[in-house]
Amino acid sequence: MIVTGFGKTSDLPGDPAELMELLDHQPLIGKMARSGAIVDAVLQPRFTWPHGTPRLQWDTIQRLEAERAEAAEAARLKAAQEVTARQLVGQEEVQRKAERDSLFAVQAVAPDVGAVPAVKAGMNVWASIVRCSGSGHPFLIWRLLEPPARIDLRPYRPGPESLDRVLVPVEAWLQAAGGSLVRAKLVTVNRPGKPLGFACPTCNDLVQGRWVSSIPNSKWSAIAERIQAEVDVPRPPEPGSRPGPPREQTPRPQMVRRPARIEEGHPEFIGPRPWALWMSEARDATEIAARQAAKDARAVRLREISENPRYIGSANGFRFQCSDCGGTFEDDNEGIHADAQCLARGSRNPAGSWR
């Protein structure tokens, strides 16, 4: 185990305790260890000597270590190749995905509103003819909101497009257009919130929201136009005609607007509440009349908002969505949506079309 010298001329060995603490490669176990640990192992009854001379044992250990190193290097190269292969597959998938997305936008076609004019409806509806990414079948998708001037990368999901009052003008335009063109199906997407999505009516392939967002505004056309209020313009009398009686003007109800809050000191302020509409809190006949007038004015305003063709009412009747900009508001906070002030001037052409 430890060679301390040969013959009488050799030096005396050192302290046995120090010799037992020497650390060196031990062929018996094939690794670095203290000499004392090997001596203890040899003195055990169950110890058996390995086959071969010390040189043969050393060569065997070196060969095994070299084989293990080669196996580890081969495993590392294989793992690196697998990672590179996965990266290449991922890049190819991303490239195919981008090509498919761009192809969807390229194949989109604006409906020919020149041959089939837009139908009259209570809101503006824009549409685009697209093709299924799988089968190539053409179908119509539509948007209730005006398409943006720039491509929006956020996924677009249909919302109010599923309402019956929106589907009616879509079906009316398709019927007027004739042919085999059909509208897309509205299906529930298996995602949080269960949003709606367009799907191919033939093979049920889902239209990704990012595809709809990537369609440029030049490929959207208005297939339904909101009915504008007709304004009576006096015509000049024809030569030789006799002037008739003046035309009777039909009175139109005026919208009654109340202030957002009625503070103390205001002529209509009654009681401590901002909206003084509770009849049970009236203290005399004057307050009862004032509160009744306020309730009537609020009812008139709610009726005017609910009958406005620009607004889509909710089930509870107190929340509305503007068909021009898509914003929602409560019945007492019409705000920027009043008089179509929610859209900037010049955001669409006079015909309401993006062609």
Side-chain angles (χ1 to χ4, degrees):
M1 289 299 172
I2 301 174
V3 180
T4 60
F6 298 93
K8 297 179 180 180
T9 60
S10 299
D11 296 332
L12 293 176
D15 185 2
E18 296 179 0
L19 295 176
M20 293 297 102
E21 294 297 328
L22 292 178
L23 184 65
D24 198 357
H25 185 274
Q26 304 296 340
L28 286 176
I29 60 176
K31 64 180 181 179
M32 299 292 292
R34 293 185 305 104
S35 300
I38 300 302
V39 173
D40 292 340
V42 171
L43 296 178
Q44 295 294 329
R46 62 178 178 272
F47 175 78
T48 57
W49 290 96
H51 176 74
T53 64
R55 172 56 60 183
L56 178 61
Q57 296 177 19
W58 174 259
D59 294 341
T60 303
I61 291 172
Q62 295 296 321
R63 179 176 56 82
L64 294 177
E65 289 182 351
E67 291 177 354
R68 285 196 294 267
E70 291 177 359
E73 181 65 16
R76 186 188 66 80
L77 292 178
K78 183 179 179 181
Q81 292 175 356
E82 292 178 352
V83 170
T84 304
R86 286 196 297 268
Q87 291 176 350
L88 292 177
V89 171
Q91 293 175 359
E92 293 176 357
E93 180 64 24
V94 171
Q95 184 177 0
R96 287 196 300 267
K97 190 176 182 180
E99 292 175 354
R100 185 176 56 179
D101 294 358
S102 61
L103 182 62
F104 186 87
V106 169
Q107 292 179 345
V109 179
D112 188 2
V113 295
V116 183
V119 299
K120 300 299 180 181
M123 74 291 293
N124 296 328
V125 180
W126 284 263
S128 181
I129 301 175
V130 298
R131 291 186 175 274
C132 177
S133 60
S135 60
H137 296 136
F139 53 91
L140 187 79
I141 62 174
W142 63 98
R143 294 185 64 168
L144 187 61
L145 306 181
E146 191 168 353
R150 295 180 297 176
I151 294 178
D152 189 0
L153 299 180
R154 294 176 299 177
Y156 177 80
R157 294 297 181 191
E161 285 81 357
S162 62
L163 298 177
D164 292 338
R165 60 180 298 180
V166 180
L167 295 177
V168 168
V170 174
E171 293 289 354
W173 188 89
L174 288 173
Q175 185 175 2
S180 59
L181 183 64
V182 295
R183 65 176 177 86
K185 292 175 59 177
L186 288 169
V187 297
T188 303
V189 182
N190 189 17
R191 291 182 180 176
K194 300 296 182 181
L196 292 177
F198 292 118
C200 176
T202 304
C203 54
N204 295 325
D205 283 354
L206 182 66
V207 176
Q208 301 295 332
R210 64 178 183 276
W211 298 352
V212 181
S213 301
S214 65
I215 300 177
N217 56 359
S218 60
K219 296 190 176 183
W220 294 89
S221 293
I223 62 173
E225 293 182 348
R226 182 168 58 87
I227 302 175
Q228 302 290 340
E230 297 183 357
V231 180
D232 296 332
V233 179
R235 297 179 180 179
E238 298 180 358
S241 62
R242 297 177 59 185
R247 186 175 179 179
E248 182 180 357
Q249 299 292 334
T250 303
R252 296 182 179 180
Q254 299 294 327
M255 181 177 292
V256 179
R257 297 184 181 275
R258 292 178 56 85
R261 292 181 61 87
I262 305 178
E263 304 293 346
E264 187 173 0
H266 193 276
E268 299 183 12
F269 175 79
I270 301 176
R273 294 174 179 263
W275 290 100
L277 300 178
W278 295 100
M279 303 299 293
S280 60
E281 297 179 359
R283 292 171 293 186
D284 51 29
T286 303
E287 288 189 2
I288 292 177
R291 292 169 187 260
Q292 185 62 46
K295 291 173 67 70
D296 295 342
R298 182 175 174 83
V300 170
R301 181 171 180 270
L302 179 58
R303 183 170 61 254
E304 291 176 350
I305 293 177
S306 60
E307 294 176 355
N308 193 329
R310 294 178 52 248
Y311 300 146
I312 301 174
S314 61
N316 59 17
F318 295 99
R319 179 173 295 175
F320 300 89
Q321 183 176 26
C322 178
S323 60
D324 283 342
C325 68
T328 58
F329 61 92
E330 302 291 338
D331 58 337
D332 57 350
N333 189 18
E334 189 177 9
I336 61 174
H337 308 286
D339 303 324
Q341 296 299 318
C342 51
L343 290 179
R345 295 183 181 274
S347 60
R348 62 172 185 264
N349 57 29
S353 173
W354 283 99
R355 296 198 65 224

